[in-house]
Amino acid sequence: MTTRYRVEYALKVRDWPLLPLLANIAGLLAVPFVLHSQPTAISEEHGEGLKAVAADTHLRYAEIMKDVENLMLDHIHHHERNAPGKSKLNLLVPTVGTFFTQLYLEDAFKYQDRQRFISRRRFVAPSFNDIRLILNSAQVLGLVRSSDVKLVTFDGDVTLYDDGACLMPDNPVIPRILRLLQQDRKIGIVTAAGYTDAPKYYERLQGLLDAIHVSPDLTAEQKQGLIVMGGESNFLFRFDPSADARLAYVPREEWLLDEMQAWSEGDITELLDLAESALRACAANLNLPAAVLRKDRAVGVYPVNGVRINREQLEETVLVVQNTVQRSAVGSRLPFCAFNGGNDVFVDIGDKSWGVRACQRYFGGIDPSKTLHVGDQFLSAGANDFKARLASTTAWIASPAETVELLDELEESVHS
Ligand code: IMP
Ligand code: MG
């Protein structure tokens, strides 16, 4: 997913807030790469010289990561003090957001260098992908060292299981999630998949829900530590051992945030009508082999007869509908999220920042600095996980296997 092509393409089509930060770090690391890590003669392939070059490059990279770590710390302090003007990091990266915890970039780099041998490479410079993983590790260390993880929220597709698939009983993420529950941490599955009834979620999450149900290691209270937030921020379900679907719908009046109470049904219908007409116009214009699906709190286009819609068409559709709704009066009153789901485009009422905030509140008001959202959508047009960064710390993964690795890293960090 994070190919150079994709990054450059995304750079052209939209202003993605974290990208300049990654680009800056990649740019800084490119200097020692060019100066120290240049290809050597084949005869030196196994020589001591090569090891010395790698060790030197490692030191230079680590130094740079420490400098960026200090810039981030200065940025955090600047915010905390409410200091006038911009932080140094803000001058360098105007779109940079706030950080809820310190990010231990130097130690994270050392960890990822042991995993990925970044400083031994002589032909391939530190990539966006390397830096994405370093930032994830730095965030995990930040949560463990300067805060505490009380709530982990997970996206569904691509994060817990493959796109469009289900969470099967043999999924290695299941014992990791059970471990988190056993440590009295809370779990939210914050997915765009928007269904109004529990059996639909049971179908998608059966492996996990059954494992929690039969687990002899979890107390009844720990089992209640799992909730599912569907449609980004629209439908909440709690674990219910007495229900066939293992989930019970939680009425909105029990969990809606104060600001969400003001979202009127009239506005919701008006926004979805507008989005639907924009989607229909775009599907006709691009001749998409797609049908329109209107739901209670969402509207989307999805391909018919199992065909694939190409990425450019998907992203064009996202940007058209996003622009149309944003420019409307109702679009300024009501938050919404238009995103490319890999082979479909959906517009949901609300977004994952509201979804994560509602989970935090449901569990008694967990702080953003004690919440980690794990997701895959931080880059493509209208990436829906990116919004969670407004409400919590985040980890940007590229596959379900990376989610498992991240949870193991978290566990190791807690015990080290
Ligand atoms: P996520 O990765 O768990 O956020 O799931 C995103 C996918 O859920 C989308 O790509 C759609 O295929 C699917 N989906 C099903 N219902 C909805 C809905 O109401 N809104 C948005 N996405 C939906
Ligand atoms: Mg996803």
Side-chain angles (χ1 to χ4, degrees):
M1 50 150 270
T2 322
T3 61
R4 191 66 191 239
Y5 169 75
R6 190 176 175 89
V7 167
E8 281 166 2
Y9 168 79
L11 246 185
K12 281 182 204 120
V13 296
R14 55 182 286 110
D15 175 24
W16 184 70
L18 255 189
L19 200 57
L21 179 64
L22 267 82
N24 264 281
I25 300 175
L28 293 169
L29 294 178
V31 176
F33 175 76
V34 170
L35 294 179
H36 297 275
S37 202
Q38 71 270 58
T40 45
I42 299 293
S43 58
E44 286 183 42
E45 196 62 37
H46 304 291
E48 283 303 308
L50 202 61
K51 276 194 194 139
V53 168
D56 200 22
T57 309
H58 173 91
L59 283 180
R60 307 279 169 151
Y61 288 164
E63 256 171 33
I64 289 173
M65 297 314 278
K66 184 71 191 173
D67 288 340
V68 180
E69 180 178 319
N70 286 334
L71 273 178
M72 288 179 169
L73 197 57
D74 168 75
H75 179 71
I76 294 170
H77 291 155
H78 194 95
H79 248 260
E80 281 170 358
R81 287 198 315 270
N82 232 339
K86 292 184 168 179
S87 69
K88 266 184 268 175
L89 184 63
N90 217 300
L91 291 171
L92 204 64
V93 187
T95 51
V96 76
T98 45
F99 299 109
F100 294 112
T101 73
Q102 188 179 341
L103 292 166
Y104 293 88
L105 282 174
E106 186 189 14
D107 289 347
F109 163 71
K110 288 178 179 167
Y111 174 82
Q112 286 297 342
D113 204 26
R114 286 197 296 277
Q115 310 295 313
R116 301 170 67 78
F117 302 96
I118 301 166
S119 48
R120 296 228 193 140
R121 298 200 310 243
R122 291 164 296 145
F123 292 92
V124 178
S127 66
F128 277 78
N129 222 23
D130 295 323
I131 295 163
R132 175 179 63 78
L133 291 164
I134 293 168
L135 278 169
N136 286 350
S137 298
Q139 185 56 80
V140 164
L141 292 174
L143 280 161
V144 171
R145 291 181 187 171
S146 16
S147 192
D148 186 13
V149 197
K150 296 269 188 221
L151 168 66
V152 186
T153 58
F154 294 95
D155 162 57
D157 294 52
V158 184
T159 301
L160 292 178
Y161 37 81
D162 289 334
D163 202 10
C166 298
L167 219 164
M168 305 306 282
D170 59 352
N171 188 320
V173 84
I174 293 174
R176 272 88 179 171
I177 293 181
L178 261 59
R179 188 171 65 200
L180 289 169
L181 288 170
Q182 209 179 348
Q183 294 162 344
D184 294 322
R185 304 182 205 280
K186 309 296 183 195
I187 301 292
I189 296 177
V190 181
T191 169
Y195 315 121
T196 43
D197 51 340
K200 285 266 173 44
Y201 287 106
Y202 182 61
E203 221 174 89
R204 302 294 300 274
L205 304 170
Q206 188 173 0
L208 175 65
L209 296 172
D210 285 347
I212 293 176
H213 185 59
V214 300
S215 169
D217 304 320
L218 294 176
T219 64
E221 198 189 334
Q222 286 169 336
K223 292 182 185 187
Q224 295 296 324
L226 176 112
I227 55 177
V228 178
M229 175 64 81
E232 323 263 2
S233 54
N234 284 301
F235 313 104
L236 184 68
F237 295 83
R238 61 175 174 79
F239 186 79
D240 179 359
S242 62
D244 285 346
R246 317 257 185 261
L247 291 171
Y249 181 74
V250 186
R252 288 207 174 102
E253 53 275 18
E254 287 180 33
W255 62 269
L256 278 190
L257 301 168
D258 295 345
E259 299 94 319
M260 295 167 98
Q261 317 254 15
W263 301 355
S264 79
E265 284 305 319
D267 275 357
I268 290 171
T269 308
E270 191 182 330
L271 193 147
L272 292 178
D273 284 348
L274 185 63
E276 182 176 338
S277 63
L279 285 175
R280 285 190 190 280
C282 199
N285 181 39
L286 298 177
N287 198 21
L288 297 183
V292 172
L293 179 65
R294 176 74 179 251
K295 295 180 156 187
D296 200 27
R297 291 288 176 114
V299 57
V301 284
Y302 65 97
V304 283
N305 307 327
V307 291
R308 285 207 73 82
I309 307 177
N310 69 47
R311 195 183 66 225
E312 287 79 359
Q313 286 178 318
L314 291 167
E315 302 215 329
E316 170 73 12
T317 308
V318 171
L319 295 170
V320 165
V321 68
Q322 199 171 49
N323 271 289
T324 309
V325 180
Q326 230 157 28
R327 279 189 282 106
S328 70
V330 68
S332 62
R333 288 196 296 271
L334 202 60
F336 70 95
C337 177
F339 75 101
N340 164 6
N343 199 27
D344 50 36
V345 172
F346 269 89
V347 180
D348 289 308
I349 299 296
D351 60 47
K352 290 196 183 185
S353 70
W354 295 100
V356 170
R357 278 193 203 107
C359 294
Q360 288 166 336
R361 190 182 124 162
Y362 182 84
F363 288 120
I366 295 177
D367 197 73
S369 67
K370 297 182 180 355
T371 311
L372 173 68
H373 177 75
V374 186
D376 68 293
Q377 286 230 352
F378 284 86
L379 183 58
S380 59
N384 64 348
D385 291 303
F386 182 71
K387 287 284 183 172
R389 205 175 121 55
L390 296 169
S392 66
T393 74
T394 50
W396 172 10
I397 55 78
S399 65
E402 275 194 14
T403 303
V404 168
E405 281 167 24
L406 185 94
L407 294 180
D408 286 346
E409 215 180 305
L410 178 66
E411 178 70 8
E412 266 173 49
S413 307
V414 169
H415 294 292
S416 68

